[in-house]
Amino acid sequence: MSKIFKYRTQLKSLLKDHINFAKEIPLDSKELEMSIASLDQGELSVAVVGEVNSGKSTFLNALIGARVFPSRASVCTAGVTILDNGNPHAEIYFKNGKVEKIDLDGKEPEHELEKLVSRKNINVKNINLVRVWYPNEFTGN
């Protein structure tokens, strides 16, 4: 059983305890019930934000246990990047609507992504969003 599944199960149990308590008081438990439904759907978004050069990419790499996102002493990642669980690949969504797919399987994703999302790329300003799929236990469960 993955850690995420275990934590989700514990959280659902705690929420159910709170709902039972809310019914005894009486208190509206609608928000708690909605939280349980959200956990059942498995959709949870976590944003990692911070100042430039504050270690966001390094943190994400440590969290998933692989060097996927470029991290250096200088500014590396320009723009919004979404991580999801799956076979190693990425999709780059450009402001003009174009989508470019990149296979990351068998490659060093950190270097492949650095070519695209670093400020060294003169076209980085045309990128709207980068979505990366990489095997990890923290997303897609």
Side-chain angles (χ1 to χ4, degrees):
M1 177 184 320
S2 74
K3 289 180 187 179
I4 297 298
F5 182 78
K6 182 177 124 183
Y7 294 141
R8 182 179 289 148
T9 302
Q10 289 174 343
L11 183 56
K12 283 173 61 174
S13 176
L14 288 170
L15 287 168
K16 287 177 183 177
D17 288 346
H18 279 68
I19 288 170
N20 290 334
F21 178 70
K23 288 178 181 176
E24 290 176 19
I25 303 182
L27 187 68
D28 184 15
S29 60
K30 187 176 183 179
E31 292 291 326
L32 295 169
E33 291 166 1
M34 287 173 41
S35 295
I36 289 176
S38 178
L39 286 169
D40 285 337
Q41 292 171 1
E43 190 67 34
L44 175 66
S45 297
V46 177
V48 178
V49 296
E51 293 181 20
V52 172
N53 250 359
S54 62
K56 298 175 293 294
S57 295
T58 303
F59 170 75
L60 287 172
N61 287 337
L63 185 68
I64 63 175
R67 294 189 66 116
V68 176
F69 300 103
S71 56
R72 301 272 184 274
S74 61
V75 177
C76 282
T77 313
V80 175
T81 304
I82 297 174
L83 170 65
D84 209 340
N85 188 32
N87 294 327
H89 71 284
E91 291 180 353
I92 293 74
Y93 294 83
F94 292 90
K95 292 179 182 175
N96 66 4
K98 180 184 167 196
V99 178
E100 182 180 333
K101 295 183 180 187
I102 297 171
D103 180 19
L104 299 175
D105 196 20
K107 300 177 182 175
E108 295 181 16
E110 177 184 34
H111 299 299
E112 294 297 315
L113 290 174
E114 185 174 18
K115 294 175 196 173
L116 292 164
V117 300
S118 77
R119 296 202 178 185
K120 294 176 187 175
N121 177 357
I122 59 170
N123 295 316
V124 74
K125 63 183 178 291
N126 298 322
I127 294 175
N128 190 42
L129 172 79
V130 177
R131 186 158 188 180
V132 177
W133 283 266
Y134 202 82
N136 68 88
E137 67 177 46
F138 292 98
T139 63
N141 291 308

